Amino acid sequence: MAIFTAIAAGIASVLSVVGITGAAAGIATNLLIGTGLSVIGSLIRGKPKFTTPTPETQAVINEAIGERRRGYGRAKLGGQRAFWDSGDGILWQIVMHHHGEIARFEQAWIGDQAVSIGSDKFVTTDPYPGYVQIEHHRGTEGQAASALMMSGWPGVWTAKHRLRGIAYSAIWMWGPKAEKYTAIFPEGPLTPFRVTARLSPVYDPRTGLTVWNDNVALCIRDYLLSPDGYRLTADRLDEDSFIAFANICDQLVQTVGGVETRYRCWGTYGLQDSPKDVLARMRACGDVDIYQTAEGKIGIRGGAWSGPTVTIIDRDILGYSLEEGAGRFAAFNELRVIYTEEAQDFQPTEAESWVDEADQAIRGKIVDEFTVDMVPSAGQASRLAKIYAAKANPRWRGRIRTNLVGMNARYERTIRVQIAELDLDETFLVLSHGFAADLSSCEMEISSIGAEAYEPTEGAGTPPPPVQDTKPNTTLPVPTGLTPVVEVREITVSTIAAVIVATVDAPTRTNLVLGAQFRLQPDGPWQAMAIADDEAVSGVVADGATYDVRARWITAKGVAGDWCTAVPIVISTA
C-alpha cells in the first residue's frame, strides 16, 4: 500500500525576539541587560545545544508525519519517504530531502555509492544502468509534479501533487533477475537514497541578490527573518552591521593546503528545534555576538579582533571586584574539537586538539569538548577553538562599578580598563552592562581578552585523511581455465553415452560454487550441467554435433557472476 506523508505546514513556534529586551527597559531596571555578550547563550557562558546528529540527517525513513528539515551551506541528506510502493517489478518512491527551496543538487547516492544521472534520468553508473531512474525537484514554489510518478501511477499521483516548497527526489528501481538482485541492491527495497546538495539560497544586502552562500552572517540573517526561525522583519535589523560582519566572514585565511573564507555555515535543523538552540549552533560558526544597538535594532559582530574605543580609568571607577586567574579559571587544559568534515562523508570529525602543555605539566590533563557541528573545515574549527579557549581562561575577570562615564561602554564589545592599584591596563570583553535603579552608576561584568586569541596558529587545522572506501566488493570473478572434454560414461545400468565434462581453475574465494550450461549449436536452448566433485557434467550429447559450454561463479546467496565461454567442442566418440 502506498505511503503518503502528510505535507503539513508545521512551523516551529517562535520565541521572543532573539531574547533581547528594549533599551528603555534596560534603563528602568538594575538588572544586567547585555550588550556585546548578553546574547542567546554566549559561548563564554555556555555551549550551544546540538539537536541534529548527522546520522539522523542522512537517514531515509518512513513515517506518516515526520520531521521536516531545513539548512544552510552544503550537506548530505537522506529524507522522509512521501511515497513507497511497487508494481510490475518496479519500486517507486519519493524521498523528501529539505523543507524549502534548495540552490542545487550536486550528487546522488545509492547506498554509499555516488552515481551519475543521464539526460533520460537513468543512472549511468555501474551496476545501475537500466535499473534506476531519478528525477530531482529543488522545492520551488512553482515546481510541477513529478513526471515519473504521474506516468507510473496515473490517477494516483497527479499534477496536483507538486510538493511545492519541498526539495525531493522521485526514484524508480527496476527489479533485476533474482541471481543479480542482491549484487545490485544488497539492501533490497530499503536501499537508501541520499543526495549532496547546496541548500537554502540567502539574501545578500551587499549585492541585493538571493543566491546560495555559506557566509555565516548571511545565513544568520536569513534565519532571523525566516518563518521557521525568529520571524523578524528586515527593518528590525542593523543592516550595516550584517554587511560588515559578512565582509569579515568572506576574508580569505590561510589553512593547511590552501586558503578558505574565514567563517562558513553548513548544516541542517529540524523545524521543531528551539530557535534559540539553532541560532546558538549557527553563532558558534563565527564567534558571533547578536546585540542590541543604541537605536534598538538587532546587530551582529564578532569573529575578528576589534580593539577598544572606550577606556575606563581610575577616576571613573567607583568600585571593582576582579580576580586574577593565571590559569585557575580554566575548566580544561585540553580541548577536543569536533566539526563536520565533507571528506569523512559529512560526519562529525575530530580536528587537532587545543592543548595547554604548561598547565598540563602542573595540573595534569583536564579534557573538555568543543563541538561546532555546522563548521565545515578543520581550519575554521581550530581557529574557533582557540578563541573559545582564550575566553574560557581569561587572565582577569569580575565586575566593575563606574560613574556615568560607563554609559559609553553600553554598546561596546570590548573596553580598555586601567587600574593603577592592580597595575592593570588590559582589554576586556563586556559580558553584561546595567544601571543602578537611581541611574547614578553603571555596573559591568568583564573578562580580559587579547588580540592573540584571534591570530591563527601556524599548522593548526590539519584535516584528517579522507575516509577509506569500505564498500564491499560485490564483483564476482570470471572463471578461468574452462576446459570441456568428451567422455563416455555409464548413464544408467544399461546405458553408456557421450557427455561433456568441464573443469575450471579453482576460485580465489572459498564461498563460490560453479554454475555451468551447454547447448547444441547454432542456437539450441541452454541447459544446466550437473556439478559434482568440482566438475560440470552435461546430459547426453550427439556424436558428430558441436556444442557450446559456458561457466560462472555463484555465491551462497544466489548472486551470479559473468559467464566465460569455452571454444566450441565437437563430439567424437571414435
Side-chain angles (χ1 to χ4, degrees), residues 45 97 206 309 351 455 530 555 562:
R45 290 188 171 277
H97 306 293
R206 300 171 296 180
T309 60
E455 296 171 358
T555 70
D562 293 331

Side-chain angles (χ1 to χ4, degrees), residues 502 514-518 527-531 536 549-552 554 563:
L514 184 65
Q517 295 178 344
F518 74 106
Q527 302 177 61
M529 301 175 71
I531 307 299
V549 177
R550 65 184 185 181
R552 63 182 177 181
I554 303 172
W563 293 102

Side-chain angles (χ1 to χ4, degrees), residues 151-424:
S151 63
W153 290 85
V156 176
W157 199 271
T158 71
K160 294 182 179 180
H161 291 80
R162 299 167 63 179
L163 298 186
R164 289 176 291 180
I166 299 292
Y168 73 94
S169 299
I171 307 104
W172 283 26
M173 299 167 65
W174 274 261
K177 293 181 179 179
E179 63 192 29
K180 293 286 187 181
Y181 187 85
T182 56
I184 297 174
F185 300 115
E187 297 174 83
L190 294 178
T191 297
F193 178 82
R194 303 180 180 93
V195 295
T196 307
R198 296 194 172 205
L199 306 183
S200 302
V202 295
Y203 176 78
D204 189 341
R206 300 171 296 180
T207 64
L209 300 176
T210 300
V211 295
W212 179 87
N213 202 319
D214 56 2
N215 181 295
V216 170
L218 303 183
C219 294
I220 288 178
R221 182 188 183 279
D222 182 86
Y223 188 68
L224 292 176
L225 302 180
S226 170
D228 310 313
Y230 280 90
R231 301 186 181 185
L232 301 182
T233 55
D235 61 353
R236 298 292 309 277
L237 305 182
D238 178 49
E239 208 71 271
D240 288 342
S241 70
F242 279 87
I243 290 173
F245 188 59
N247 290 335
I248 290 174
C249 294
D250 276 345
Q251 291 172 354
L252 294 179
V253 293
Q254 190 70 36
T255 188
V256 177
V259 295
E260 65 183 13
T261 53
R262 185 180 292 274
Y263 295 124
R264 295 179 292 160
C265 179
W266 290 14
T268 67
Y269 59 89
L271 267 62
Q272 83 290 342
D273 293 346
S274 161
K276 179 179 178 179
D277 292 336
V278 176
L279 186 57
R281 293 170 57 210
M282 298 176 71
R283 289 179 48 246
C285 295
D287 180 46
V288 173
D289 293 346
I290 305 294
Y291 69 103
Q292 185 181 28
T293 69
E295 293 76 24
K297 294 193 174 186
I298 295 169
I300 188 171
R301 63 189 174 194
W305 175 247
S306 176
T309 60
V310 173
T311 300
I312 304 296
I313 60 177
D314 279 318
R315 69 167 179 262
D316 303 318
I317 297 175
L318 304 177
Y320 61 83
S321 174
L322 293 172
E323 184 177 6
E324 188 173 12
R328 291 184 297 108
F329 296 141
F332 58 87
N333 52 32
E334 182 169 329
L335 196 61
R336 294 181 61 234
V337 183
I338 310 296
Y339 72 105
T340 296
E341 172 61 56
E342 176 184 5
Q344 299 288 328
D345 198 33
F346 291 86
Q347 296 291 327
T349 303
E350 187 169 349
E352 184 178 355
S353 296
W354 174 90
V355 179
D356 185 342
E357 294 180 351
D359 190 69
Q360 285 188 354
I362 298 171
R363 298 194 296 157
K365 184 181 291 188
I366 306 173
V367 181
D368 197 6
E369 188 172 290
F370 177 64
T371 301
V372 278
D373 71 329
M374 296 182 88
V375 166
S377 83
Q380 181 179 339
S382 295
R383 293 192 300 273
L384 291 165
K386 184 177 182 180
I387 297 168
Y388 177 85
K391 289 182 175 181
N393 185 23
R395 183 183 172 199
W396 293 91
R397 71 180 178 189
R399 295 176 180 272
I400 61 172
R401 186 165 59 89
T402 73
N403 57 27
L404 292 183
V405 168
M407 291 183 64
N408 294 329
R410 177 158 176 75
Y411 299 102
E412 299 297 313
R413 190 182 194 216
T414 60
I415 60 173
R416 183 179 179 186
V417 177
Q418 297 175 335
I419 303 176
E421 182 181 20
L422 299 178
D423 193 24
L424 174 65

